[in-house]
């Protein structure tokens, strides 16, 4: 079955520290992977996406993610976290449906807290 | 700027009183989605429109309906809201669901409270 797992429900880091948010997917075909961020009370904003090519993907707000097919992972990283990065982060895979279209399968999210 | 707009941002309704949430887009996208997101959970797809074609998810309750009168607007109708329907409702758009690289663009959401 197609699924996305974000093993960490909550993560707390200090401002200025590095960050890595984990995402593992289960998908039989070529995965199309996305990371979204949701600030409190807001909608989802696309951070970055991976479709093919270079496995290290750069996104907005200084985020990057690395696709590792052998580990079925698409972890999100940032070298130095800012207080404004406190939010919920969702990983998603674009999965093919039985009708031949594509829909997102979201992970359950990781809530990031940043300590001053 | 092209965007997805949801109105209202906050909606309070009474148990059993019908409510309509609104979404509009200036992206001229073919697809419009409605998601339900409960606290600390992933967004759950309720249904979507591909142009005028309505596509319901198998587990979406009959209490939830949608209308898309034109390309720009889409409405979510909850016929008889229950306490369990209190949630954030997210509208999203995308260009074409037939391609795997299709990216969804989300509105800010409407937080629904049911008293």
């Amino acid at each position: 079955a197609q699924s996305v797992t974000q093993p960490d429900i909550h993560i707390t880091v200090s401002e200025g520290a590095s960050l890595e948010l984990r995402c593992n997917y289960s998908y039989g075909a070529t995965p199309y992977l996305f990371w979204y961020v949701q600030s409190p009370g807001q909608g989802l904003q696309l951070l970055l996406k991976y479709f093919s090519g270079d496995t290290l993907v750069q996104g907005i707000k200084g985020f990057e993610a690395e696709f590792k097919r052998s580990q079925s992972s698409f972890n999100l990283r940032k070298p130095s976290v800012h207080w404004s990065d406190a939010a919920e982060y969702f990983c998603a895979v674009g999965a093919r449906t039985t009708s031949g279209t594509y829909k997102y399968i979201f992970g359950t999210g990781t809530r990031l807290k940043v300590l001053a | 700027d092209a965007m997805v707009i949801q109105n209202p941002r906050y909606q309070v309704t009474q148990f059993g009183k019908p409510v309509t949430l609104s979404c509009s887009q200036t992206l001229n996208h073919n697809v419009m989605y409605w998601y339900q997101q409960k606290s600390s959970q992933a967004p759950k797809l309720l249904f979507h429109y591909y142009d005028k074609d309505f596509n319901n998810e198998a587990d979406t309750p009959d209490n939830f309906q949608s209308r898309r009168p034109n390309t720009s607007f889409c409405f979510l109708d909850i016929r008889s809201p229950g306490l369990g329907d209190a949630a954030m409702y997210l509208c999203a758009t995308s260009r074409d669901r037939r391609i795997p690289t299709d990216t969804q663009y989300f509105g800010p959401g409407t937080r629904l409270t049911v008293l």
Side-chain angles (χ1 to χ4, degrees), chain A residues 32 34 36 38 41-46 49 51 88 90 94-97 100-104 106-109 111, chain B residues 9-10 33 35 37 40-43 45 50 57 88 90 97-109 111:
Chain A
Y32 302 92
F34 305 80
Y36 281 85
Q38 185 177 32
Q42 301 296 316
L44 278 69
Q45 181 183 21
L46 180 68
K49 55 192 178 184
F51 298 150
E88 186 135 26
F90 290 96
R96 186 179 173 91
T97 69
T101 60
Y102 289 84
K103 64 188 278 187
Y104 280 177
F106 282 98
T108 51
R111 186 172 296 277
Chain B
R9 294 294 310 277
Y10 301 90
Y33 308 80
Y35 288 86
Q37 185 183 25
S40 301
Q41 295 183 21
L45 182 62
Y50 195 142
E57 293 297 298
M88 174 79 91
L90 297 168
R97 289 198 77 199
R98 295 169 298 178
I99 58 174
T101 54
D102 193 38
T103 299
Q104 295 185 25
Y105 297 86
F106 285 80
R111 181 162 298 283

Side-chain angles (χ1 to χ4, degrees), chain A residues 17 20 34 40 48 55-56 67 71-72 90-91 106 111 115:
Chain A
E20 182 169 32
F34 305 80
L48 48 79
T55 56
L56 186 63
F67 170 64
Q71 299 177 18
S72 297
F90 290 96
C91 181
F106 282 98
R111 186 172 296 277
L115 301 177

Side-chain angles (χ1 to χ4, degrees), chain B:
Chain B
D1 287 342
M3 55 198 310
V4 181
I5 301 161
Q6 291 188 243
N7 286 306
R9 294 294 310 277
Y10 301 90
Q11 176 73 57
V12 180
T13 191
Q14 292 181 333
F15 183 93
K17 184 175 181 181
V19 66
T20 294
L21 309 183
S22 169
C23 177
S24 64
Q25 55 133 341
T26 60
L27 296 161
N28 203 32
H29 281 171
N30 295 313
V31 193
M32 295 187 76
Y33 308 80
W34 281 103
Y35 288 86
Q36 180 192 63
Q37 185 183 25
K38 295 189 176 180
S39 183
S40 301
Q41 295 183 21
K44 177 182 180 295
L45 182 62
L46 295 173
F47 29 59
H48 75 276
Y49 270 96
Y50 195 142
D51 289 331
K52 296 180 181 179
D53 293 333
F54 177 71
N55 297 268
N56 203 24
E57 293 297 298
D59 57 354
T60 297
D62 292 340
N63 198 26
F64 292 85
Q65 304 286 322
S66 186
R67 297 170 283 135
R68 189 179 186 186
N70 54 53
T71 301
S72 301
F73 284 87
C74 194
F75 300 99
L76 170 62
D77 300 308
I78 308 177
R79 293 192 295 189
S80 182
L83 298 179
D85 297 328
M88 174 79 91
Y89 290 88
L90 297 168
C91 175
T93 73
S94 73
R95 212 178 296 273
D96 190 343
R97 289 198 77 199
R98 295 169 298 178
I99 58 174
T101 54
D102 193 38
T103 299
Q104 295 185 25
Y105 297 86
F106 285 80
T110 294
R111 181 162 298 283
L112 178 68
T113 300
V114 182
L115 301 178

